[in-house]
Amino acid sequence: MTAYIIRRLLMMIPTLFGIMVLNFIIVQAAPGGPVERMVAQLTNITSADAATARISGSGTDFGAKPATQGSNIEALYRGRGGLDPEIIKRIEKMYGFDKSPLERFTQMMSSYLRFDFGESFFRNQSVIDLIKQTLPVTISLGLWTTLIVYLVSIPLGIRKAVRDGTPFDIWTSWAIIIGYAIPSFLFAILLIILFAGGNYFQWFPMKGLVSDNWNELGGAGKVVDYFWHIALPVLAMVISGFASLTMLTKNCFLDEINKQYVLTARAKGLSTRQVLYGHIFRNAMLIVIAGFPNALLRILFTSALLIEIIFSLNGLGLLGYEAVINRDYPVMFGTLYIFTFIGLIFGLIGDLIYVAVDPRIDFERRGV
């Protein structure tokens, strides 16, 4: 198993590199960039001082330090008559676009290997600091949502399998269909309207992960405040996430219930509970439990994005989205690198869980 883990870790390097290359090419080919964005802003500025202030507040190339060329650019500004070609060259140099794409990509990847993601173009802050600030929010949403989804879906799926075709199975199936049909962002809006001061009650806050006075609260107060803020976002994500896992659990158990080894166990006089949890559970739960890392990954980097936007939660998904809108390339590629790296690690963890749940699976012997 050790050799398999080493091979998987080594395979992450070309996989990560390939993903970064592909996205770098796509981003470079897309119209509009930080230089064009800055030129468009400066073209609409009527004051040379305002233009200089805006430029001097920008970031620099991947891995570089903030630029200090505002005074030079001020002298080149030509007011409302347009921008001198020289000022455009200065802006390109500030953002690193005076280099070739290959040189920029090589410099970026060499910095990323050291987890040095450079400075944000428009936030005057290092990318790694932005990631450190936003990652705990996304992890909080993802972990709590995944935990609750599994705690609800697995017992419900098992009960539906045992009572297949009964009224309980039918009405819970309708509830699952409704939960599956309603996107998490629509349910989030409904929760805000009902419980966060929309039109009815104002029982929960509608923005932030903690209150402004969180540092002043005691230990118990901090815990209560944290769960008070996270209750609605997590509930919105759980509603859309439990349906598919419940049906997967039910179908896995139904598939195992009628197999020969189950009939043999029942013929030996074992109770339904002994057969269910002593024989069926391990085989039926193989796919469900081993899929935990991938389920967490999907919730972290897909479902959490819109929820972070709706509830004004400063998470990693929202950070990446704003970076795309603003063409903040260091933040874009930095978050992409982190997303991809975490995804590859979670994929490996998923394989290890497969082996832990069912020792019959041997990736080493199969030469995977």
Side-chain angles (χ1 to χ4, degrees):
M1 195 62 184
T2 302
Y4 168 75
I5 295 175
I6 294 174
R7 285 200 303 271
R8 284 292 300 271
L9 291 174
L10 292 176
M11 280 298 298
M12 291 180 185
I13 298 174
T15 303
L16 182 59
F17 181 80
I19 292 174
M20 296 300 296
V21 168
L22 180 61
N23 283 273
F24 185 84
I25 294 174
I26 293 174
V27 169
Q28 298 303 309
V35 174
E36 290 80 2
R37 183 175 182 271
M38 179 60 70
V39 170
Q41 289 180 349
L42 291 178
T43 302
N44 295 325
I45 294 177
T46 59
S47 169
D49 292 336
T52 304
R54 183 67 183 89
I55 296 173
S56 61
S58 302
T60 62
D61 187 19
F62 306 110
K65 300 303 180 183
T68 58
Q69 301 166 336
S71 59
N72 294 332
I73 294 177
E74 179 181 9
L76 295 171
Y77 186 73
R78 295 295 181 264
R80 301 185 65 178
L83 294 180
D84 189 283
E86 186 65 24
I87 194 174
I88 298 179
K89 292 181 180 179
R90 292 294 184 93
I91 295 174
E92 290 176 346
K93 185 175 182 180
M94 287 170 55
Y95 290 137
F97 283 84
D98 56 328
K99 305 180 181 70
S100 67
L102 179 59
E103 187 177 356
R104 283 187 281 119
F105 179 78
T106 303
Q107 180 181 349
M108 181 182 74
M109 291 305 298
S110 63
S111 299
Y112 282 12
L113 291 176
R114 305 188 302 272
F115 284 89
D116 178 10
F117 302 110
E119 304 284 333
S120 168
F121 282 163
F122 306 109
R123 292 193 178 215
N124 293 325
Q125 198 172 0
S126 69
V127 176
I128 193 65
D129 287 341
L130 290 172
I131 292 176
K132 288 179 180 179
Q133 293 171 10
T134 56
L135 189 58
V137 176
T138 301
I139 290 178
S140 292
L141 289 175
L143 284 178
W144 283 114
T145 300
T146 307
L147 180 62
I148 295 174
V149 164
Y150 268 75
L151 290 177
V152 172
S153 299
I154 292 177
L156 180 59
I158 295 174
R159 189 167 181 82
K160 283 176 64 63
V162 173
R163 303 182 64 178
D164 183 44
T166 64
F168 173 82
D169 180 45
I170 295 173
W171 72 260
T172 52
S173 295
W174 278 107
I176 290 172
I177 291 173
I178 294 174
Y180 190 81
I182 301 177
S184 59
F185 70 91
L186 286 181
F187 193 74
I189 295 173
L190 177 62
L191 291 176
I192 290 176
I193 293 173
L194 293 177
F195 304 115
N199 293 324
Y200 298 94
F201 308 102
Q202 193 168 4
W203 294 345
F204 298 92
M206 65 174 296
K207 62 180 299 183
L209 192 63
V210 293
S211 300
D212 294 335
N213 64 337
W214 191 77
N215 291 326
E216 302 173 3
L217 301 175
K222 289 182 177 180
V223 173
V224 172
D225 184 76
Y226 168 75
F227 284 106
W228 182 48
H229 281 76
I230 207 173
L232 293 187
V234 169
L235 179 59
M237 295 172 66
V238 166
I239 292 298
S240 63
F242 88 100
S244 57
L245 184 61
T246 300
M247 295 307 299
L248 176 63
T249 303
K250 175 187 175 182
N251 293 334
C252 289
F253 270 80
L254 285 177
D255 186 55
E256 295 291 330
I257 283 176
N258 295 320
K259 288 187 176 180
Q260 185 63 44
Y261 74 92
V262 177
L263 299 177
T264 303
R266 286 175 174 170
K268 291 181 178 180
L270 296 180
S271 66
T272 301
R273 186 177 184 84
Q274 289 176 320
V275 173
L276 189 64
Y277 293 101
H279 294 76
I280 298 176
F281 188 83
R282 165 169 278 187
N283 295 327
M285 292 303 296
L286 174 61
I287 297 177
V288 177
I289 295 177
F292 182 88
N294 291 329
L296 175 59
L297 190 66
R298 287 195 303 271
I299 291 173
L300 282 175
F301 301 139
T302 55
S303 300
L305 172 58
L306 290 175
I307 298 300
E308 289 175 6
I309 295 174
I310 292 172
F311 287 96
S312 299
L313 298 173
N314 188 26
L316 194 58
L318 180 59
L319 175 66
Y321 171 77
E322 291 179 346
V324 172
I325 297 300
N326 296 321
R327 299 297 194 271
D328 196 343
Y329 286 177
V331 178
M332 283 175 58
F333 288 114
T335 54
L336 174 65
Y337 187 88
I338 294 296
F339 285 162
T340 306
F341 182 76
I342 293 177
L344 293 172
I345 293 296
F346 276 29
L348 176 59
I349 293 175
D351 288 346
L352 298 180
I353 293 178
Y354 268 112
V355 176
V357 174
D358 189 350
R360 296 172 299 177
I361 298 177
D362 189 352
F363 290 109
E364 183 68 29
R365 186 173 56 189
R366 294 169 57 190
V368 178

